[in-house]
Amino acid sequence: MDGRIFRLKELFFEKPEHPWTIDEMSGIVDLAPSHLPRVFRINLGNSPMAYLNGLRLDMARDLLENTFLQIKQIGIQTGLTNDSHFAREFKKKFGVSPTEHRKLHWEKIQIPQLVGEE
């Protein structure tokens, strides 16, 4: 993988809440803004913004499953600050809303515990 793209991946993971722009990313890795999406797609099969959005959604899913943070707070921490956009994109990727995902996840965890207690 191109080191410049690896560097961007690291930055996205470190600061998913940052309002990344193509111009800013291009400046960090010293590529023209028109050239960055092509190099990114060659290395990762997606545009920088699509990759970042997928990463944010995966991080949000992890936080829904492993924390008791409010959904709004999860959106802020992952850079998915528009509530309706967050819910729509989450449902598109995972098939359920963030609220439904959390509920289903916790139910799935609790059922084996209940069965084992009988």
Side-chain angles (χ1 to χ4, degrees):
M1 175 184 302
D2 187 308
R4 298 169 294 187
I5 302 308
F6 183 79
R7 177 69 182 132
L8 283 177
K9 279 181 56 179
E10 284 181 325
L11 290 172
F12 292 166
F13 190 78
E14 290 169 13
K15 297 181 180 184
E17 76 287 353
H18 183 77
W20 294 101
T21 66
I22 294 294
D23 286 340
E24 180 181 20
M25 292 178 224
S26 298
I28 290 169
V29 296
D30 198 29
L31 282 171
S34 60
H35 190 58
L36 175 63
R38 187 176 77 76
V39 173
F40 206 95
R41 191 176 309 275
I42 288 169
N43 282 268
L44 295 175
N46 240 332
S47 71
M49 297 312 281
Y51 178 86
L52 177 59
N53 191 52
L55 175 67
R56 286 172 168 168
L57 290 168
D58 289 342
M59 291 174 124
R61 181 185 58 188
D62 185 59
L63 290 170
L64 286 165
E65 293 176 359
N66 297 300
T67 72
F68 294 105
L69 292 171
Q70 293 180 355
I71 291 172
K72 179 138 186 97
Q73 187 62 33
I74 290 172
I76 291 167
Q77 284 190 15
T78 58
L80 300 163
T81 55
N82 180 311
D83 295 342
S84 62
H85 180 71
F86 173 23
R88 185 173 50 253
E89 292 298 309
F90 193 92
K91 188 168 187 170
K92 187 189 304 182
K93 182 167 184 174
F94 299 113
V96 294
S97 71
T99 303
E100 292 168 313
H101 181 80
R102 176 175 267 168
K103 181 178 181 257
L104 291 169
H105 175 76
W106 286 105
E107 285 174 355
K108 185 171 68 175
I109 288 175
Q110 291 177 355
I111 289 173
Q113 293 174 353
L114 295 174
V115 172
E117 293 175 3
E118 296 181 348

